[in-house]
Amino acid sequence: FVLHADTQRALALSWNSDSSVLAAVVDVGSGVCVQLWADRNYHWYMKQELRGSDIQRVVWDPEDPMHVLVVCASGFTSVRLHSVPAVAHVASTESNAASCVVNGAQVLYTPFAYANVPPPMCLHTLDARVPVRHVSFAAFGAGNGFALLLADRRTVVLYACDSGRSSPQEIRRFMLPGSDARQIAWLEAGVVVSLGASGVGITRIDDSDEVVTHFCPEHDSPLVLLSSAPHVERVLVEDARGRVFNVSLGTERLESVAELPTQCVEIDAVDCGELGVVVVGRTARNQLYANTRLLSPACSSFYLRKDVLVFTTTTHYVRFVAVNEGLITGDIPADDEAVVSEARRRVERGSTIVLASPTGDAVVFQMPRGNLETVRPRALVLAAVRQALDARQYREALMACRVNRIDMNMLYDYAPAAFMGDLAEFVAQVNEADLLNLFVSSLRDEDVTQTMYTGIQSQLAGEDKPDGTKPGKTTAVCRALRPVLQSVTDASQFMPTVLTTLMCEKPPAIDAALQIIAALGQDRRDAALTYLLFLSDVNTVYDAALGLYDLPLALLVAQRSQRDPREYLPALGELNALPSEEYRRFRIDAQLSRHESALGHLCAALWEDSDRWTEVAGFIQKHGLFRQGAELLADHERIGDVYVMYGDALAADKDWGQAAAAYLLSQKAVAQAVDAFVQNKEWRSAMSLASAANSGFGPQAVYDTARQASSVLEDHHLFGDAAAVLLEYTEETEDAVMLLVRGSHWAEAVRCSHARERSDLIETTVRPGMDAACESLEEDIGEIGEGFAAKVERLRTVRLTPLSQMTELAGVDDSVDVMPDTASMASQFSTFTATLTDISKITGSTARRLSKNKRKAERKRVRGKKGSVFEESYLVDSLSKLIARVRVHQDAVRNLNLALLQFGRAAAAARLQRVFAAVVEAVLQDGDWVFDRQRVLVQGDAGQIDLVDDVNAEGLPATPRLPKPVLPSNAWRISALP
């Protein structure tokens, strides 16, 4: 690069330790100075000119590349350098979002709100005639003006700039008292605050260019940084201990604002409501603080807007934090590449923030090589959309969503009540059918403010996203918007949007859309129909048009489809030729599979022409519309035939009870009703209907019905009812007594034998039956007792054996939960942590293999192989079944014993009671122990692992896998028997 023109000769050159800054000791004629040069984007800039008396050399710190010593004849000056962008901060809609880059005496000015000019170029180049030391943007108005402090450390140049692309104009140049100022701040139009060796000076300039400077009282600690904070309309000054003060223009004193944990190189402030003013600062070690709270330990740059804090991290993320109480108290999680969030996004490695549009949605980044990139992060775009919606600027919000691909549902979901009450204003502002169509077609039954755009604060807090479904939302918006569109002066302008609202309802209102189209003129009808066919499948629209029974409209739709005219013209011609309107509608509904509606029209046609009964009956039977047919033909002479068809259909489905009712309603199918009652085991209803005087049944038919009912009841082991029907309606006493004996109804069998004067049946049927029943019952009870005792004994042995010693324990699969007596709750859950976590990862062949293993394990459990981990569960399950058999035998034993006593067989009754009492006693003695001390839990029926919720004092499960059955009692016993 070439040194500036006023340089006479270069005396020395010196690089800093990382070669990012070159210090040149040069003679400029008026003296010796140090020029600091840095390069960005392959261009060299002179960033600072350090002047002093009799400068001899510069020395760079070998460890800190931004620390330089300027050696003079009388001593040395220590300078610590920091790179801070000079950009606008005022939150004004008229802000140019401008930036100034210093290059010696030149100031490179670019308003990013209107032009993004890549460096080293700029939109306007300003010549200050003297190298610039510091730039400060105005903290008032639109914030487009700026002040320059020149290298002589006393000259200040003020520039003003209008909104837009115009060049800034110098409006004033004045001198500060002394020559030691190093930073300035332009707080008000006629007030400039400076910071130098003399302290903080407040300079006021009136209209007559009179300059008056007052210095604040000396501070107890060196003041190192001066910064304007337009969001709180203050000038902040920081001392070497990290304390931040406000420069009070009224009292001309320093007022404490906040205390940072350490000295920062860049600070700004914002109002956080109840928390008051919060100071945000970045240290030289890239720590970002909000007052005393550490927001990020790896912040490379930041920009503070009035509503959002934007900062980049050394892990190459840009983060967004809402400016509210959460800035101090909210959770800010670490960067997570796997998380997609509105509050963070990836940026190019080494990117730093130049500025974020104070009120817009753009952020300008500078890459390590120096070039600029402008992005529109979703967080700022959504903030702009929310602000536009709050201001009722609906078109602006919609266009922002469209340009930045934000879901259009945001327009409604952000403030549903306000939006629905402002639909007329929404339509008036947008005023374009295409944009309204885009909005309506984007609607869906979801609240995007809960699922997609939950806001920065909720995402930073790590809140779980709710389901967010909002049933009926789309239909409600469409129905509310449609009358507004139809009420405008030129309703035809929004006809496509009206049709879109109908088609976006759930379900789509195609019929209503076709009715609107049918009422239009020829020209508008063609255009509207073409648009409707664009929104929906042509076949669906054709069927809807046909369903309106409007054949001309259906023809119009068919002509705009790909249908073959040789198909639809004959079909429509045939329908048009039908003489009956009701029958035509029946044919159309039947073609569209609208069976219930078709039956209604067909029944109406039946009233007109009784010859259509065959077609009606066939249609009812084909589509199972019996109930609908009965309602439609309730007053027709054929109603009985409908109920008969209904009864036949129910009988075919084995629904005998309903079939019998249908036959009764027909009043012409008594025989079918009797048969249905018989099949439904309702023998009393069947016999009462068959034996009625007007039933048409003769004695033989009644007899046959009784025999049939008895046979059906016998097949279902209802021996008491089977015998009762024979006794009441036939003379088959012997068969009836035999049925009572088979059902163990001993007392009833003896009573019937005496009542029918057939005492011989007692000897031939009842007594042999009692002997056989007694022998069978004793044998079954003995078998139950032996089995119960053997299984209890084996269970005692199994429970004495530690689970770890079972032969198949080493090979048990994940479907078994082994709980030894000494197991803790922690050990129960740790066994299955991996299995439960990995279920979602199982696919394909692995799933088939596991399914096969589960079936194999279930077979092992059912078999209960001796010595296996499944054996205990198998034994407990078997004992439960034996106990159920004992409960069943209680009534049988008591009834049989009473019958034996009636015939003087007390010894047999006593023996049977003793055998059964021994089994009951064993069950009552061991039942609690069997079921309350289960140790093994097996996989549940639904495939899940059954883990216990609690254990008792002995470490056993409080809720067993196999519940305890109801144990038998001693109520069955006859106490008089020995």
Side-chain angles (χ1 to χ4, degrees):
F1 58 90
V2 179
L3 296 175
H4 289 178
D6 57 351
T7 302
Q8 296 183 0
R9 63 186 180 125
L11 302 178
L13 298 175
S14 179
W15 290 96
N16 67 343
S17 59
D18 63 358
S19 299
S20 61
V21 181
L22 174 65
V25 182
V26 298
D27 184 357
V28 294
S30 60
V32 178
C33 65
V34 178
Q35 295 179 352
L36 301 180
W37 293 79
D39 75 310
R40 280 294 178 93
N41 207 17
Y42 310 105
H43 183 78
W44 286 90
Y45 300 85
M46 193 184 86
K47 306 304 295 183
Q48 285 282 343
E49 184 175 275
L50 306 179
R51 298 182 178 183
S53 59
D54 196 16
I55 295 177
Q56 296 180 350
R57 58 182 295 203
V58 294
V59 179
W60 289 98
D61 190 320
E63 295 182 358
D64 187 351
M66 304 305 284
H67 185 204
V68 62
L69 300 177
V70 181
V71 181
C72 305
S74 59
F76 68 89
T77 302
S78 176
V79 179
R80 190 172 298 277
L81 305 173
H82 298 287
S83 178
V84 177
V87 294
H89 281 80
V90 175
S92 171
T93 56
E94 298 181 356
S95 172
N96 290 338
S99 170
C100 288
V101 178
V102 174
N103 184 15
Q106 293 181 336
V107 176
L108 311 181
Y109 174 86
T110 300
F112 285 102
Y114 300 96
N116 189 345
V117 182
M121 298 178 290
C122 61
L123 189 62
H124 300 292
T125 301
L126 310 178
D127 188 1
R129 301 192 295 275
V130 178
V132 177
R133 180 178 181 86
H134 186 250
V135 181
S136 176
F137 270 83
F140 59 91
N144 294 327
F146 53 91
L148 306 180
L149 175 64
L150 303 186
D152 61 3
R153 301 176 66 178
R154 60 179 304 183
T155 303
V156 176
V157 184
L158 304 181
Y159 283 84
C161 184
D162 297 329
S163 298
R165 303 166 65 94
S166 60
S167 175
Q169 301 297 319
E170 181 180 333
I171 59 173
R172 184 165 294 168
R173 185 182 289 252
F174 61 92
M175 305 290 287
L176 297 174
S179 59
D180 61 355
R182 62 178 184 269
Q183 296 172 10
I184 59 173
W186 193 5
L187 181 60
E188 296 179 2
V191 179
V192 174
V193 181
S194 61
L195 174 64
S198 303
V200 177
I202 302 174
T203 301
R204 291 180 170 86
I205 311 99
D206 57 20
D207 295 336
S208 60
D209 290 341
E210 181 181 352
V211 178
V212 179
T213 301
H214 297 275
F215 288 93
C216 296
E218 292 187 3
H219 193 58
D220 60 352
S221 178
L223 301 175
V224 296
L225 180 62
L226 181 72
S227 177
S228 61
H231 300 318
V232 293
E233 299 179 349
R234 299 181 184 183
V235 172
L236 305 179
V237 62
E238 180 190 16
D239 66 9
R241 293 160 56 183
R243 294 179 296 176
V244 180
F245 301 90
N246 168 44
V247 180
S248 174
L249 301 183
T251 63
E252 297 181 349
R253 302 180 66 86
L254 300 183
E255 300 173 349
S256 179
V257 176
E259 184 171 354
L260 298 171
T262 184
Q263 179 186 337
C264 292
V265 299
E266 184 180 2
I267 61 173
D268 203 346
V270 70
D271 189 356
C272 284
E274 296 181 357
L275 295 179
V277 175
V278 174
V279 177
V280 178
R282 180 178 66 89
T283 70
R285 295 182 176 273
N286 292 330
Q287 296 167 316
L288 183 66
Y289 288 97
N291 288 353
T292 58
R293 183 194 183 189
L294 178 64
L295 296 179
S296 173
C299 171
S300 56
S301 63
F302 80 91
Y303 186 95
L304 183 61
R305 295 187 2 157
K306 204 167 186 177
D307 57 344
V308 177
L309 169 64
V310 187
F311 65 92
T312 56
T313 65
T314 55
T315 55
H316 322 302
Y317 276 90
V318 59
R319 306 290 297 273
F320 304 90
V321 181
V323 172
N324 51 32
E325 290 79 359
L327 190 64
I328 299 298
T329 60
D331 295 331
I332 302 180
D335 295 333
D336 187 353
E337 190 170 347
V339 176
V340 178
S341 171
E342 179 183 329
R344 67 181 69 86
R345 63 166 287 173
R346 294 283 295 181
V347 293
E348 185 176 335
R349 179 183 295 271
S351 300
T352 56
I353 299 172
V354 176
L355 64 81
S357 177
T359 58
D361 55 10
V363 179
V364 181
F365 293 99
Q366 186 168 28
M367 304 299 111
R369 56 190 176 276
N371 63 305
L372 303 179
E373 289 187 6
T374 301
V375 299
R376 283 177 164 75
R378 179 149 293 182
L380 299 188
V381 172
L382 288 171
V385 170
R386 294 182 183 109
Q387 291 174 3
L389 291 174
D390 288 337
R392 299 177 64 205
Q393 298 172 350
Y394 297 110
R395 182 180 178 87
E396 182 179 339
L398 188 146
M399 293 303 297
C401 291
R402 181 187 185 190
V403 171
N404 296 282
R405 304 186 69 179
I406 301 296
D407 196 308
M408 293 285 184
N409 284 272
M410 183 70 178
L411 302 178
Y412 170 84
D413 293 333
Y414 177 67
F419 182 82
M420 294 292 277
D422 220 10
L423 286 176
E425 181 66 20
F426 171 71
V427 172
Q429 288 187 21
V430 176
N431 201 32
E432 287 187 34
D434 290 342
L435 293 178
L436 292 172
N437 292 341
L438 179 62
F439 165 72
V440 174
S441 59
S442 300
L443 291 172
R444 63 181 183 278
D445 291 346
E446 175 186 344
D447 188 348
V448 296
T449 61
Q450 295 184 6
T451 57
M452 298 175 64
Y453 311 128
T454 57
I456 297 173
Q457 200 59 40
S458 63
Q459 294 189 16
L460 287 177
E463 298 176 358
D464 294 333
K465 291 183 179 179
D467 181 27
T469 57
K470 188 179 280 189
K473 164 192 150 183
T474 302
T475 300
V477 175
C478 290
R479 291 179 178 176
L481 182 61
R482 190 159 53 249
V484 177
L485 297 171
Q486 293 172 330
S487 64
V488 298
T489 304
D490 185 10
S492 61
Q493 175 188 358
F494 297 119
M495 181 54 64
T497 309
V498 172
L499 296 177
T500 304
T501 61
L502 290 166
M503 297 305 296
C504 288
E505 289 188 11
K506 296 183 179 180
I510 303 178
D511 293 353
L514 288 171
Q515 290 173 352
I516 291 177
I517 292 175
L520 298 176
Q522 182 63 37
D523 295 338
R524 293 173 57 194
R525 180 192 302 170
D526 292 344
L529 185 57
T530 301
Y531 181 76
L532 181 63
L533 294 177
F534 165 75
L535 295 177
S536 181
D537 177 63
V538 64
N539 293 323
T540 304
V541 178
Y542 175 79
D543 290 344
L546 200 59
L548 293 175
Y549 314 114
D550 190 339
L551 297 183
L553 182 60
L555 177 61
L556 191 63
V557 174
Q559 289 173 344
R560 282 161 176 74
S561 68
Q562 300 296 322
R563 288 173 173 265
D564 188 350
R566 292 175 296 180
E567 294 181 0
Y568 68 77
L569 286 177
L572 294 176
E574 181 183 354
L575 291 173
N576 190 55
L578 294 174
S580 171
E581 178 64 23
E582 293 292 346
Y583 191 69
R584 180 186 300 112
R585 295 191 175 192
F586 156 71
R587 290 284 299 274
I588 292 174
D589 287 339
Q591 179 179 332
L592 299 177
S593 298
R594 302 192 304 196
H595 304 305
E596 293 189 16
S597 177
L599 180 61
H601 293 298
L602 184 58
C603 290
L606 178 63
W607 287 94
E608 299 173 357
D609 184 2
S610 59
D611 293 337
R612 298 191 185 278
W613 166 248
T614 303
E615 189 172 3
V616 171
F619 192 81
I620 291 175
Q621 288 180 319
K622 180 179 180 180
H623 300 290
L625 301 174
F626 302 102
R627 294 182 61 185
Q628 294 81 354
E631 293 176 1
L632 293 170
L633 299 175
D635 298 328
H636 199 274
E637 60 182 6
R638 291 285 191 169
I639 184 61
D641 296 328
V642 174
Y643 282 121
V644 171
M645 291 189 296
Y646 193 13
D648 293 342
L650 292 170
D653 293 335
K654 307 298 183 183
D655 191 354
W656 300 108
Q658 297 296 334
Y663 287 133
L664 290 177
L665 285 171
S666 71
Q667 298 183 357
K668 54 169 50 176
V670 177
Q672 293 95 320
V674 170
D675 185 63
F677 279 129
V678 167
Q679 296 298 331
N680 202 44
K681 302 179 291 295
E682 297 182 57
W683 66 272
R684 291 179 176 83
S685 297
M687 297 311 299
S688 65
L689 186 60
S691 58
N694 59 349
S695 66
F697 277 60
Q700 184 61 40
V702 173
Y703 174 85
D704 293 341
T705 300
R707 294 293 297 185
Q708 180 187 4
S710 177
S711 177
V712 170
L713 294 169
E714 180 184 357
D715 292 341
H716 289 84
H717 297 275
L718 300 175
F719 299 108
D721 289 337
V725 68
L726 291 180
L727 291 171
E728 289 191 29
Y729 293 96
T730 70
E731 298 297 330
E732 306 293 340
T733 305
E734 185 173 348
D735 291 343
V737 172
M738 177 59 70
L739 289 171
L740 292 172
V741 170
R742 289 183 61 188
S744 299
H745 301 290
W746 310 110
E748 182 65 12
V750 173
R751 187 192 70 81
C752 290
S753 297
H754 290 302
R756 294 299 180 96
E757 299 180 354
R758 289 293 305 274
S759 300
D760 58 304
L761 293 178
I762 295 176
E763 298 299 330
T764 60
T765 303
V766 178
R767 281 180 177 273
M770 291 173 57
D771 294 340
C774 184
E775 181 180 354
S776 175
L777 198 55
E778 283 187 15
E779 182 179 346
D780 194 26
I781 292 172
E783 181 183 343
I784 292 173
E786 293 175 2
F788 188 85
K791 285 180 170 55
V792 168
E793 185 63 27
R794 179 57 190 167
L795 184 60
R796 294 184 190 279
T797 303
V798 169
R799 289 183 175 173
L800 290 175
T801 304
L803 293 176
S804 59
Q805 296 182 10
M806 295 184 177
T807 58
E808 291 190 6
L809 183 59
V812 67
D813 66 348
D814 293 337
S815 63
V816 180
D817 180 11
V818 179
M819 280 201 316
D821 292 345
T822 58
S824 65
M825 289 303 295
S827 64
Q828 298 171 25
F829 287 96
S830 61
T831 305
F832 297 98
T833 301
T835 301
L836 295 174
T837 304
D838 293 339
I839 288 177
S840 61
K841 302 178 181 177
I842 298 173
T843 57
S845 60
T846 305
R848 291 190 293 272
R849 177 172 53 81
L850 291 179
S851 178
K852 181 178 179 181
N853 290 343
K854 287 181 180 179
R855 292 194 298 270
K856 183 177 179 181
E858 183 64 18
R859 289 195 297 269
K860 287 183 179 180
R861 186 186 68 83
V862 173
R863 290 197 304 268
K865 182 179 178 181
K866 187 174 182 180
S868 73
V869 73
F870 298 98
E871 185 179 9
E872 180 173 344
S873 176
Y874 165 76
L875 292 171
V876 173
D877 186 50
S878 300
L879 289 169
S880 177
K881 295 176 181 178
L882 290 175
I883 291 173
R885 291 174 62 187
V886 171
R887 291 201 314 273
V888 170
H889 285 328
Q890 290 180 113
D891 291 338
V893 169
R894 177 177 175 79
N895 293 335
L896 183 56
N897 278 347
L898 290 175
L900 291 172
L901 292 176
Q902 183 178 355
F903 289 99
R905 302 187 58 185
R911 183 175 66 255
L912 179 61
Q913 180 165 288
R914 284 194 301 273
V915 172
F916 190 60
V919 174
V920 171
E921 184 66 25
V923 170
L924 294 176
Q925 179 179 350
D926 296 326
D928 293 338
W929 176 82
V930 169
F931 294 97
D932 293 345
R933 301 186 65 84
Q934 301 177 57
R935 298 187 302 169
V936 179
L937 298 181
V938 183
Q939 178 179 324
D941 297 334
Q944 77 278 5
I945 304 299
D946 290 341
L947 299 176
V948 297
D949 296 327
D950 193 11
V951 294
N952 58 25
E954 299 178 358
L956 299 175
T959 306
R961 170 67 177 88
L962 295 174
K964 183 196 299 185
V966 177
L967 300 180
S969 65
N970 287 311
W972 57 274
R973 300 188 63 153
I974 300 176
S975 58
L977 285 175

